[in-house]
Amino acid sequence: MTEAREDLEKLVKREYSAGFVTDIETDTLPPGLSEDVVRFISAKKGEPEWLTEWRLKAYRHWLTQPHPNWAHVHFPQIDYNAISYYSAPKSQADGPKSLDEVDPELLRTYEKLGIPLHEQALLAGVKPDPDLPVETAAGNLGGQVAVDAVFDSVSIGTTFKAKLAEAGVIFCSISEAVKDYPELVKKYLGSVVPFTDNFYATLNSAVFSDGSFVYIPKGVRCPMELSTYFRINAQNTGQFERTLIIAEEGSYVSYLEGCTAPMRDENQLHAAVVELVALKDAQIKYSTVQNWYPGDENGKGGIFNFVTKRGACIGANSKISWTQVETGSAITWKYPSVVLRGENAVGEFYSVALTNNYQQADTGTKMIHLGRNTRSTIVSKGISAGHSENAYRGLVRFSPSAANARNYTQCDSLLIGDRCGAHTFPYIESGNASAMVEHEATTSKVSDEQLFLCQQRGIDAEKAISMIVNGFCKDVFRELPMEFAVEAGKLLEVSLEGAVG
Amino acid sequence: MLEVKNLHASVAGKPILNGLNLAIPAGEVHAVMGPNGSGKSTLTNVLAGKPGYEVTDGEVTFNGQNLLDLEVEDRAHAGLFLAFQYPTEIPGVSNMEFLKAAIDSQRKAQGEPAISAMDFMQQARAIAKRLDLNPEFLKRGVNEGFSGGEKKRNEILQLLMLNPKLAILDETDSGLDIDALQVVSDGVNAFRAPDHSVLLVTHYQRILNYVKPDRVHVLARGQILRSGDASLAQELEARGYGWITDAA
Ligand SMILES: Nc1ncnc2c1ncn2[C@@H]1O[C@H](COP(=O)(O)OP(=O)(O)OP(=O)(O)O)[C@@H](O)[C@H]1O
Ligand SMILES: [Mg+2]
């Protein structure tokens, strides 16, 4: 190992800045899972009979399922009876009617995370950052973003509701949607990810606590970015959100989710389900900046992030785009997918997955081509540092009905140091001879020469690494809404500290 | 400006420099010539502090400072610049972003604020123009897909943007066409100033027609075996190195 590498080694050690714990009174169910627990959650939320039954069916199905073990990740058996399936800030027991009713301690939590929940603050917009390279700073205009914040298991408030309502857009917590728009929820919940889908999705269907609901009516272009921030605070709780986004004919929405959690020594389970439905000519752009606590530098603690995300391009010419920047979690296991049913539908997946220390990621996508002339693009950038393991797993399937379907896959890995691993598992299943796949894959290292060049020009190793990694991710960052691209860039920088190696 | 005394250095356990002496006063241009594999790039790398090069004896002072004690980036902050014989690519990092990061790091080390985006762009465009580089080059990844000659011109772009005290140019003239050689030479001449020095490693007398050296040194067997004025380069061009290396 050369000196440059050793320098690099020293470099990736900054503290996780979102790791504080909020001291707040909670209403937490004792650990354990049973039909009673499922009923309790459903009753707590005042759910209609059909939903309680749906949850119970999921729970009973879950009991019959073995734990999946095909992913390239390793962790001790999870004791599902040691987890609490419901935790809510006490003062919010009946749910806040408006942001004014939100516990000030909670608001401070979100302020600390840099997420202002007061519309006043949000209106001020985002100021260009003087530290940014000119190209980025120039385009960093302040925009409005409506935020739904989910703290442990419940949504604590959604901003800009009035303004969105004017456009006919519904943006609320899924619990509220169950009450206020039951017919929409009933029609679409589980329509993309059925409760039988997979072990974690099944568990989620049984015990999901909250999440966001979005409905964009026909022909409406959502007037602002929608965003949900998920925060796990309580100890020994699992977080099981359920997000449902429906884009009616000819509508458009861009949605961002951000995630953080306190630093804790034990692992915490996060098993969310996200369902997207795009009707004819509709477009959904879903971006994630995931920064769950990754565990400490020795691999202790951190979030197990076992998430099912899927979009259905039901209508012709519809489009669903997933963009994700994943830097957190001890273990990440997620494959945001698109089912391309409508003719000419387009599915996209742009991903940056960074692992450091002892993190493990097995992530990728599934593009299921059913309709004629459907197209999909996959751009995956995996960055591994420290002792981490980073796997891309991607499935491209052309069914016999998918005449002239196309897929382009680009899958690049970047290694920092020589104790980490990068793996690529591409699966291609073609049932239609006219379908075409193009696959490119590269693996590269941050070279000593590159580091030396930067340092010779006066740039320190840490900044150099973050610049090189950001350059590597450019194709993906380009797809993020501007403010979040900036955030993502900074996040990579933080996540890489001490990773120089 | 630069004083190298009895420098011994090895790479991968193999001694390359064996008691090298060299002094470059402020304001002067010194050419270093020598056969392939004689240790010219090794010298430039040792001066810049590249990891993997072990200094086993000798000392180097740079404007009064003990150069060998400094980290790579601190040497850069002190005003040492190396134009590489084989410039490396950094895909996805634009030239502009890279240069701004470099300038700002150096300004920060000097306790100065970051350069304004406007001033930076103005300077970068002006220098690109002087080097006959299309401004589009500023947006491309550092050396990414550049031709050999473009990479060399890009090194000079960096030199002029960073404006160091000592420019070490390792075969910046190799692989340049006739017009590019002229452009690069003009760039180096623009850098010349009473408080600037240049260590120019080259195989060819040609560039010395444009960039007039104050001294010419022959590096062979890990030492400076002979030094002279500009006429030494002409003599080498005519006679090769044998008469020097054989005599030593
Ligand atoms: N990393 C290394 N490992 C082993 N040997 C090395 C290494 N780097 C340089 N050398 C050897 O050191 C000697 C000097 O190399 P150097 O690159 O300094 O020569 P040079 O004078 O610049 O040659 P050229 O004119 O061809 O550029 C050569 O024999 C070379 O093979
Ligand atoms: Mg050389």
Side-chain angles (χ1 to χ4, degrees):
Chain A
M1 185 185 292
T2 68
E3 286 169 48
R5 291 238 167 271
E6 281 161 27
D7 276 354
L8 266 170
E9 294 284 339
K10 285 183 218 138
L11 253 162
V12 190
K13 269 146 192 154
R14 195 187 292 171
E15 290 239 333
Y16 179 73
S17 66
F20 57 87
V21 176
T22 306
D23 194 6
I24 205 164
E25 268 198 280
T26 55
D27 199 353
T28 303
L29 206 58
L33 185 52
S34 64
E35 290 209 4
D36 286 345
V37 167
V38 174
R39 283 205 177 84
F40 172 89
I41 295 169
S42 191
K44 195 89 186 164
K45 300 190 159 293
E47 286 175 354
E49 185 65 24
W50 68 265
L51 190 49
T52 314
E53 276 312 307
W54 191 76
R55 286 176 180 274
L56 286 169
K57 269 195 286 184
Y59 174 66
R60 288 168 200 144
H61 181 72
W62 183 75
L63 289 174
T64 68
Q65 297 301 296
H67 192 277
N69 61 2
W70 43 264
H72 192 84
V73 296
H74 307 277
F75 56 93
Q77 187 74 43
I78 297 172
D79 179 359
Y80 291 92
N81 280 316
I83 297 172
S84 162
Y85 289 84
Y86 187 83
S87 170
K90 210 166 218 159
S91 59
Q92 306 300 313
D94 298 314
K97 301 289 172 293
S98 80
L99 280 170
D100 301 336
E101 291 178 32
V102 172
D103 186 326
E105 187 68 24
L106 278 181
L107 290 179
R108 272 193 291 278
T109 298
Y110 280 88
E111 259 160 42
K112 264 198 236 177
L113 294 168
I115 307 151
L117 287 183
H118 285 294
E119 297 189 4
Q120 220 56 35
L122 284 161
L123 281 164
V126 182
K127 299 233 163 50
D129 182 339
D131 285 335
L132 289 169
V134 263
E135 299 165 283
T136 333
N140 184 12
L141 308 167
Q144 280 188 2
V145 181
V147 180
D148 183 27
V150 176
F151 194 85
D152 287 339
S153 295
V154 292
S155 165
I156 61 157
T158 310
T159 60
F160 287 111
K161 273 194 167 164
K163 176 146 191 201
L164 290 168
E166 260 171 53
V169 171
I170 302 170
F171 180 35
C172 62
S173 72
I174 195 128
S175 309
E176 280 175 87
V178 168
K179 290 194 186 105
D180 300 345
Y181 314 98
E183 59 305 323
L184 280 175
V185 177
K186 192 168 182 182
K187 180 168 176 191
Y188 290 107
L189 185 76
S191 70
V192 185
V193 180
F195 70 76
T196 50
D197 195 81
N198 70 73
F199 188 85
Y200 294 109
T202 303
L203 178 61
N204 174 287
S205 302
V207 301
F208 74 87
S209 36
D210 216 335
S212 299
F213 176 82
V214 175
Y215 177 81
I216 316 289
K218 191 168 168 179
V220 170
R221 192 181 166 87
C222 187
M224 60 181 81
E225 303 273 348
L226 302 184
S227 171
T228 298
Y229 270 87
F230 293 107
R231 173 83 179 160
I232 299 179
N233 187 60
Q235 207 155 1
N236 299 322
T237 53
Q239 184 150 336
F240 306 92
E241 323 91 35
R242 187 103 197 173
T243 296
L244 178 58
I245 299 179
I246 301 148
E248 288 280 8
E249 236 181 89
S251 67
Y252 170 87
V253 62
S254 167
Y255 183 92
L256 180 113
E257 66 171 5
C259 326
T260 58
M263 294 195 269
R264 295 196 186 277
D265 285 348
E266 67 279 2
N267 297 112
Q268 279 180 289
L269 178 63
H270 174 252
V273 171
V274 176
E275 296 179 280
L276 312 182
V277 181
L279 288 110
K280 185 165 173 284
D281 300 319
Q283 274 191 42
I284 301 175
K285 184 173 171 59
Y286 193 106
S287 315
T288 302
V289 174
Q290 185 264 107
N291 184 24
W292 296 120
Y293 178 52
D296 70 10
E297 60 189 59
N298 299 312
K300 194 168 168 62
I303 302 292
F304 288 169
N305 190 33
F306 301 151
V307 168
T308 305
K309 290 183 163 173
R310 194 174 306 150
C313 282
I314 293 178
N317 313 312
S318 54
K319 176 175 173 182
I320 289 179
S321 230
W322 297 102
T323 305
Q324 59 172 26
V325 177
E326 305 271 320
T327 61
S329 298
I331 301 179
T332 298
W333 175 338
K334 76 180 250 204
Y335 314 90
S337 308
V338 185
V339 179
L340 297 149
R341 195 174 294 279
E343 254 183 50
N344 308 316
V346 176
E348 293 175 339
F349 174 74
Y350 297 97
S351 169
V352 166
L354 182 151
T355 52
N356 190 12
N357 296 322
Y358 286 87
Q359 282 177 274
Q360 306 175 55
D362 192 301
T363 182
T365 184
K366 288 188 269 185
M367 292 292 173
I368 311 295
H369 292 257
L370 302 174
R372 301 162 58 81
N373 302 321
T374 48
R375 279 164 295 144
S376 61
T377 301
I378 299 171
V379 177
S380 161
K381 305 275 181 176
I383 302 140
S384 334
H387 295 264
S388 67
E389 291 288 331
N390 202 329
Y392 166 80
R393 190 182 301 278
L395 167 69
V396 178
R397 178 187 293 152
F398 299 108
S399 77
S401 54
N404 297 313
R406 299 274 179 276
N407 165 265
Y408 170 75
T409 298
Q410 183 192 332
C411 189
D412 301 321
S413 308
L414 183 69
L415 300 171
I416 303 175
D418 43 21
R419 291 173 314 212
C420 50
H423 315 269
T424 306
F425 305 101
Y427 306 90
I428 296 163
E429 298 172 9
S430 187
N432 189 306
S434 65
M436 269 176 35
V437 194
E438 208 182 317
H439 186 103
E440 288 174 25
T442 65
T443 301
S444 50
K445 281 194 151 202
V446 173
S447 73
D448 292 350
E449 302 296 327
Q450 289 171 331
L451 271 182
F452 181 56
L453 167 59
C454 292
Q455 289 176 285
Q456 205 302 304
R457 298 301 183 248
I459 302 166
D460 65 55
E462 188 162 351
K463 169 82 186 154
I465 293 280
S466 103
M467 208 166 63
I468 293 167
V469 168
N470 269 288
F472 174 75
C473 299
K474 201 155 264 180
D475 295 347
V476 173
F477 285 177
R478 224 195 311 266
E479 299 297 324
L480 285 172
M482 188 53 79
E483 294 86 341
F484 302 127
V486 171
E487 189 177 333
K490 287 189 181 154
L491 194 56
L492 283 193
E493 194 165 325
V494 173
S495 305
L496 273 169
E497 281 202 9
V500 178
Chain B
M1 167 99 39
L2 179 77
E3 198 160 353
V4 181
K5 280 190 194 150
N6 188 35
L7 184 64
H8 288 71
S10 39
V11 190
K14 178 179 155 193
I16 310 286
L17 303 180
N18 310 300
L20 186 141
N21 294 292
L22 180 68
I24 308 181
E28 295 196 358
V29 173
H30 287 212
V32 170
M33 304 179 77
N36 291 131
S38 58
K40 301 182 298 297
S41 293
T42 302
L43 172 64
T44 66
N45 285 328
V46 168
L47 293 177
K50 186 170 183 181
Y53 290 77
E54 196 195 352
V55 174
T56 50
D57 201 3
E59 56 190 71
V60 180
T61 41
F62 179 51
N63 287 327
Q65 273 184 296
N66 180 353
L67 188 72
L68 300 176
D69 274 356
L70 302 180
E71 297 292 330
V72 179
E73 56 264 39
D74 295 333
R75 297 183 195 198
H77 298 157
L80 184 146
F81 177 94
L82 169 59
F84 293 87
Q85 184 173 0
Y86 305 109
T88 305
E89 303 191 1
I90 309 182
V93 176
S94 76
N95 236 344
M96 203 153 72
E97 190 181 347
F98 175 75
L99 266 173
K100 185 154 191 313
I103 290 174
D104 287 341
S105 308
Q106 302 216 5
R107 290 173 70 116
K108 194 171 166 198
Q110 274 21 284
E112 292 167 26
I115 187 170
S116 81
M118 255 240 293
D119 289 352
F120 171 78
M121 281 316 295
Q122 256 169 11
Q123 272 185 38
R125 288 212 185 90
I127 292 172
K129 191 167 172 205
R130 158 182 248 160
L131 294 171
D132 210 13
L133 275 170
N134 187 318
E136 284 303 303
F137 268 82
L138 296 170
K139 294 188 194 154
R140 281 173 60 181
V142 177
N143 295 320
E144 194 180 356
F146 287 19
S147 76
E150 287 164 352
K151 284 183 183 171
K152 296 300 179 77
R153 268 186 283 173
N154 200 35
E155 295 292 284
I156 300 301
L157 173 82
Q158 293 169 42
L159 167 68
L160 296 179
M161 287 296 290
L162 290 170
N163 198 31
K165 296 267 181 284
L166 171 66
I168 303 173
L169 310 178
D170 192 357
E171 295 199 32
T172 304
D173 58 327
S174 292
L176 292 180
D177 67 37
I178 297 155
D179 294 337
L181 181 67
Q182 178 76 58
V183 164
V184 162
S185 302
D186 289 349
V188 177
N189 284 329
F191 172 73
R192 289 184 87 156
D195 59 338
H196 286 173
S197 305
V198 178
L199 192 168
L200 194 156
V201 173
T202 180
H203 284 297
Y204 308 106
Q205 143 71 24
R206 219 175 29 160
I207 189 171
L208 303 180
N209 292 334
Y210 301 110
V211 182
K212 299 274 183 240
D214 295 290
R215 301 287 290 167
V216 174
H217 308 276
V218 175
L219 197 168
R221 297 190 192 151
Q223 295 183 344
I224 300 295
L225 289 187
R226 184 171 297 234
S227 301
D229 60 17
S231 66
L232 176 58
Q234 279 155 12
E235 200 172 354
L236 291 170
E237 187 100 338
R239 299 175 63 188
Y241 294 108
W243 61 282
I244 296 174
T245 50
D246 291 348

